[in-house]
Amino acid sequence: MTVTAGTPIDLVAGVYATLKERAAAGRRRFGRPLTLTEKVLLNHLYDPTEAIERGGSYNDFHPDRVAMQDATAQMALLQFMTAGLTTTLVPSTVHCDHLISAKVGAKIDLGVAIDSNREVYDFLRSVSAKYGIGFWGPGSGIIHQVVLENYAFPGGMMIGTDSHTPNAGGLGMVAIGVGGADAVDAMTGFPFNVRWPKVIGVELVGTLGGWSSPKDVILEVARVLTVEGGTGAIVEYFGSGADSISATGKATICNMGAEIGATCSLFPYDDNMATYLKATGRDAIAAAAGRVADDLRPDDGADYDQVIKVDLNQLKPLINGPHSPDRANRVGAAVGAEARANNWPLEISAALIGSCTNSSYEDITRAASLARQAAARGLKVRTPLLVSPGSEQIRATIERDGLIADLEAIGATVLANACGPCIGQWDRPANAIDKPNTIVNSFNRNFPKRNDGSANTLSFVTSPDTVVALALSGRLDFDPTTDTLAADDGSQVRLQPPVGEVLPTLGYDPGESTFTAPPADGSATTVNVSPTSDRLQVLAPFAPWDGNDYRDLPILMKAKGKCTTDHISAAGKWLKYRGHLENISGNLFLGAVSAFDRPTGEGTDFRDGSPDTLPNLAKKYGEAGIRWVAIGDRNYGEGSSREHAAMEPRFRGGVVIITRSFARIHETNLKKQGLVPLTFADPDTYDLIDEGDRINVLDLPPVPGKNLRCQIVKRDGTVIDFEGAHTFSDEQVEWFKSGSALNVVRRKVAAQ
């Protein structure tokens, strides 16, 4: 397989060759017009005749591509190495973007990262070469921006080991964030299995103007749907307003669809997508898409499970936070009032723009237009302003066009082409986080400790334009649409609405080449993992199910409120251990808020009542052969696709997770690793579980469509029966019985 820095036209042509026929067959089958989502999914089914039920059936798909970022790629490729293949069977790439810490500035931070992560980068480079995987080295940029610039195409389907993979929906692609085990399935040539999604339609009418931006669209949708509202669904945008938004603006909206729990989001093909494809050197793909354009859009009268309407003419700038990306307020007085009511600092300690969500050329030109206005009146930012370019191509282009200079003129610092502060890789001084502080950013996620590891930091998400305006004012309650800034000469300056350029007039500057294609034959390449390494560890298969029910399980922890993947397996300083399962298990549940009134990340040993940290307890139980259960609240596992949040409990002896509800990716990751994720059939059962109780899970293995019989065993021996609902399919039951999905893959590969 030839792997290049771009999607070959023959791959795209192959996808389009069956699109019209599959869409027509779908209309006959369902007896109605189709959504774009349905057309793309039907065209990627392994078996076009298999049963389909929206929100019900599990179906097998063949994605066109797999993409992995460096933090998750380590575990994914350590798993792939055990599968027994000599090469990947689906085009795949690795992108080094997560391990670069932001501290000083782009050049120094990148150099430090290359030096401190050399062992990991060498592993990823060599394993990529051995198995036919394209390698984007450190400094290339953020995976999603690089994918949008090089690989995404309308009507395609890809999976990526990062929750913001849906960014590619900006080019009309069904792009789904998954755990590494799903990526292994695809790379080994086996189907990617996922529940057929419901389809939420978002009708956009009107056009954006003034201070409103694509970011405000998704912040409004998050307000309406909340962090759970998109679970089990693909969000499909349509309408005249959708066609008025640039391809990169569409990508911003799709990117943050992860924050509403959506499987992915996408837009229909239009002239803006064609223009972007041509601007990024993909004229042939634009031409091919044009020939099948009718089937790269929803049919008239397409049937959606739910429809939301957003009038872009009426949309006002929003700022969402802190702690949850759906906590929406209008910019200015509204967020100021809520801050005062909650004693949140109004003074901003830092402002940040960029990330995979908002680092397009259009984003930066809008931000720079405000910077030029400010500089002309002698204004500078009143808080640190940090800029993260999304890719080397974006960095080189905005440097050539003077946009970096515009931002630096008002006091901005440009960071490396990487995730940096968006995912906890932000080395802030202690005096910045030793007390409650407010930051504003154009990122996507704002959970506690998300950006700098400090629970004192209150993070608010908004557009790059608003971030720059707030940085110039230094206050959270500043409203750039009405308020003024004081210049040094005493005059008042009102910023005019930002003006952006969708695409660079001089074309994109690719910058330094950072892509390495694998050799035609990688069999001679050696991949070394030192047995004494603290960064990488060869995996041992998990043991298969022993055939017995789970009885007398102690409760390791019961989480109260949000328990995201950041709470289960923190990022930040722990990113360095993403390739070492034993070491990273030292963070297990450290952020979990106890429903038993224990300190965060702490519990008690059921054997003697002694207090300890949850990772220590899990380690003690695991080493003693004691299986355990964890209890969660609503939307458990919200956030990242990181499968470490599932592998760590499994590694330490966890066998069952019971919650009021799950986030989609995390529930799948748990099943992939051989655990049993259950939801209380009656959510109020959660309240009946006390510290010291034991749990029985009976009538294993799970039977699709039938709840499991479960029991709470009180310390006095009283038994409370309850039912645990689950979403296991027949295939997923085999994952459980075999000990993990990867064990099933190994068996199938060996049988070929």
Side-chain angles (χ1 to χ4, degrees):
M1 179 188 303
T2 301
V3 177
T4 60
T7 298
I9 186 60
D10 59 341
L11 187 156
V12 178
V15 172
Y16 292 166
T18 56
L19 178 60
K20 185 177 182 64
E21 176 187 343
R22 290 283 186 95
R27 292 186 198 98
R28 292 192 299 271
R29 178 175 185 173
F30 299 133
R32 57 171 173 77
L34 300 180
T35 64
L36 173 59
T37 297
E38 290 170 318
K39 294 179 184 182
V40 178
L41 293 180
L42 286 166
N43 197 35
H44 287 84
L45 274 175
Y46 252 76
D47 178 4
T49 67
E50 65 183 352
I52 295 172
E53 178 189 355
R54 272 194 191 177
S57 61
Y58 280 89
N59 297 93
D60 288 337
F61 300 92
H62 57 91
D64 304 308
R65 173 166 296 282
V66 175
M68 297 164 281
Q69 42 96 331
D70 50 355
T72 52
Q74 296 171 63
M75 198 60 72
L77 292 174
L78 285 165
Q79 292 177 83
F80 180 82
M81 287 169 60
T82 70
L85 290 176
T86 58
T87 186
T88 60
L89 299 180
V90 171
S92 304
T93 50
V94 166
H95 304 257
C96 296
D97 62 357
H98 270 56
L99 299 178
I100 302 170
S101 182
K103 184 175 183 179
V104 179
K107 186 174 182 180
I108 293 176
D109 291 347
L110 180 60
V112 170
I114 291 173
D115 183 59
S116 60
N117 299 308
R118 190 173 304 280
E119 178 185 16
V120 172
Y121 291 149
D122 286 348
F123 166 74
L124 292 174
R125 185 180 289 106
S126 62
V127 76
S128 295
K130 186 171 186 64
Y131 294 109
I133 299 168
F135 180 76
W136 291 84
S140 303
I142 305 171
I143 177 173
H144 314 302
Q145 182 68 25
V146 174
V147 166
L148 194 74
E149 293 171 351
N150 294 275
Y151 299 112
F153 67 93
M157 183 178 187
M158 68 171 287
I159 59 173
T161 60
D162 189 281
S163 57
H164 293 104
T165 298
N167 191 81
L171 278 177
M173 194 172 203
V174 167
I176 301 175
V178 300
D182 277 318
V184 172
D185 281 352
M187 289 190 292
T188 52
F190 293 106
F192 165 58
N193 183 268
V194 69
R195 189 189 290 274
W196 190 280
K198 294 184 177 181
V199 188
I200 297 174
V202 179
E203 182 181 8
L204 303 181
V205 298
T207 55
L208 293 167
W211 284 89
S212 297
S213 71
K215 187 61 162 281
D216 297 305
V217 176
I218 185 57
L219 295 181
E220 169 66 7
V221 172
R223 182 191 70 80
V224 173
L225 287 177
T226 78
V227 292
E228 294 186 66
T231 303
I234 288 180
V235 177
E236 181 172 312
Y237 293 83
F238 66 98
S240 59
D243 292 340
S244 71
I245 298 172
S246 68
T248 52
K250 291 176 170 70
T252 291
I253 295 168
C254 293
N255 178 292
M256 257 195 83
E259 273 52 72
I260 57 174
T263 301
C264 68
S265 305
L266 78 165
F267 278 80
Y269 183 67
D270 62 7
D271 290 342
N272 282 319
M273 291 188 193
T275 300
Y276 183 75
L277 286 168
K278 294 172 185 175
T280 50
R282 290 173 284 178
D283 299 68
I285 293 178
R291 290 190 287 271
V292 293
D294 286 347
D295 281 318
L296 295 175
R297 297 180 64 84
D299 294 338
D300 291 339
D303 180 41
Y304 297 98
D305 295 282
Q306 178 183 355
V307 175
I308 299 166
K309 187 172 183 177
V310 178
D311 186 346
L312 303 182
N313 294 322
Q314 303 300 317
L315 193 62
K316 303 299 182 184
L318 294 171
I319 182 166
N320 290 21
H323 306 323
S324 189
D326 60 350
R327 190 173 188 171
N329 270 296
R330 291 273 288 273
V331 166
V335 71
E338 186 164 353
R340 292 182 182 91
N342 290 279
N343 294 316
W344 301 331
L346 287 170
E347 181 180 350
I348 297 170
S349 65
L352 309 98
I353 63 175
S355 86
C356 65
T357 320
N358 277 111
S359 58
S360 67
Y361 188 79
E362 182 180 16
D363 288 328
I364 302 301
T365 55
R366 284 173 65 94
S369 76
L370 297 174
R372 287 192 294 273
Q373 290 184 51
R377 298 297 297 273
L379 296 173
K380 287 185 176 290
V381 293
R382 296 181 181 179
T383 190
L385 174 62
L386 307 177
V387 181
S388 300
S391 69
E392 169 61 9
Q393 178 166 274
I394 289 294
R395 184 211 61 78
T397 304
I398 63 176
E399 181 177 51
R400 179 201 66 194
D401 293 351
L403 305 178
I404 288 181
D406 289 333
L407 293 166
E408 289 178 336
I410 61 169
T413 297
V414 177
L415 302 175
N417 312 324
C419 301
C422 185
I423 50 95
Q425 289 288 67
W426 185 15
D427 190 355
R428 295 183 81 186
N431 62 3
I433 56 177
D434 60 4
K435 58 185 179 299
N437 70 100
T438 291
I439 67 171
V440 294
N441 61 71
S442 68
F443 303 159
N444 43 42
R445 195 164 282 162
N446 57 357
F447 306 141
K449 300 186 179 183
R450 172 73 183 184
N451 302 113
D452 57 15
S454 173
N456 283 328
T457 297
L458 307 175
S459 176
F460 293 81
V461 173
T462 187
S463 70
D465 321 330
T466 301
V467 169
V468 172
L470 296 180
L472 289 165
S473 74
R475 288 181 61 86
L476 181 65
D477 58 353
F478 179 75
D479 186 345
T481 69
T482 58
D483 296 344
T484 58
L485 300 165
D488 289 343
D489 61 6
S491 63
Q492 294 296 308
V493 178
R494 175 172 291 177
L495 295 171
Q496 296 303 304
V499 177
E501 300 174 48
V502 173
L503 297 168
T505 303
L506 300 177
Y508 285 106
D509 182 339
E512 296 183 24
S513 175
T514 51
F515 176 76
T516 303
D521 180 2
S523 59
T525 302
T526 300
V527 180
N528 291 318
V529 176
S530 170
T532 60
S533 172
D534 71 344
R535 298 289 301 270
L536 298 164
Q537 182 183 50
V538 174
L539 294 173
F542 290 132
W545 176 53
D546 63 8
N548 297 313
D549 288 341
Y550 292 145
R551 293 181 178 273
D552 212 28
L553 300 176
I555 297 166
L556 177 72
M557 73 97 194
K558 179 182 177 183
K560 178 174 66 176
K562 272 189 183 289
C563 194
T564 71
T565 48
D566 281 4
H567 294 84
I568 302 167
S569 175
K573 67 179 183 179
W574 293 95
L575 283 171
K576 67 180 292 185
Y577 298 125
R578 284 287 182 86
H580 198 293
L581 183 54
E582 184 171 6
N583 284 350
I584 199 171
S585 294
N587 72 4
L588 178 60
F589 295 130
L590 270 181
V593 177
S594 173
F596 297 142
D597 294 324
R598 300 291 177 185
T600 296
E602 294 189 14
T604 58
D605 193 319
F606 77 95
R607 295 168 294 188
D608 58 14
S610 60
D612 206 340
T613 67
L614 292 174
N616 279 348
L617 283 176
K619 181 179 180 181
K620 290 176 181 177
Y621 292 172
E623 291 177 347
I626 298 170
R627 300 184 298 196
W628 49 264
V629 61
I631 308 298
D633 208 329
R634 291 183 173 85
N635 208 30
Y636 179 89
E638 173 188 348
S640 172
S641 69
R642 69 190 67 150
E643 64 183 342
H644 302 77
M647 295 186 78
E648 291 174 39
R650 180 77 162 99
F651 178 69
R652 289 304 191 198
V655 289
V656 179
I657 310 291
I658 312 177
T659 74
R660 281 175 160 150
S661 61
F662 282 101
R664 176 194 63 84
I665 301 177
H666 187 64
E667 182 183 24
T668 299
N669 285 346
L670 290 168
K671 288 189 280 188
K672 283 279 185 180
Q673 300 303 331
L675 287 101
V676 179
L678 301 175
T679 55
F680 297 107
D682 178 357
D684 290 341
T685 305
Y686 168 92
D687 297 317
L688 303 179
I689 295 176
D690 298 315
E691 191 169 28
D693 291 350
R694 303 293 187 92
I695 300 293
N696 294 333
V697 179
L698 309 174
D699 301 333
L700 292 171
V703 176
K706 182 181 179 181
N707 292 347
L708 279 172
R709 186 164 58 94
C710 304
Q711 296 174 331
I712 303 169
V713 182
K714 296 293 184 178
R715 279 176 285 190
D716 64 2
T718 302
V719 174
I720 300 174
D721 293 304
F722 71 96
E723 290 189 357
H726 65 84
T727 60
F728 277 90
S729 65
D730 289 327
E731 180 180 3
Q732 292 167 354
V733 172
E734 290 304 310
W735 301 347
F736 165 71
K737 292 164 66 175
S738 299
S740 71
L742 184 57
N743 288 348
V744 175
V745 169
R746 288 192 191 98
R747 188 168 65 241
K748 288 180 178 178
V749 170
Q752 289 179 341

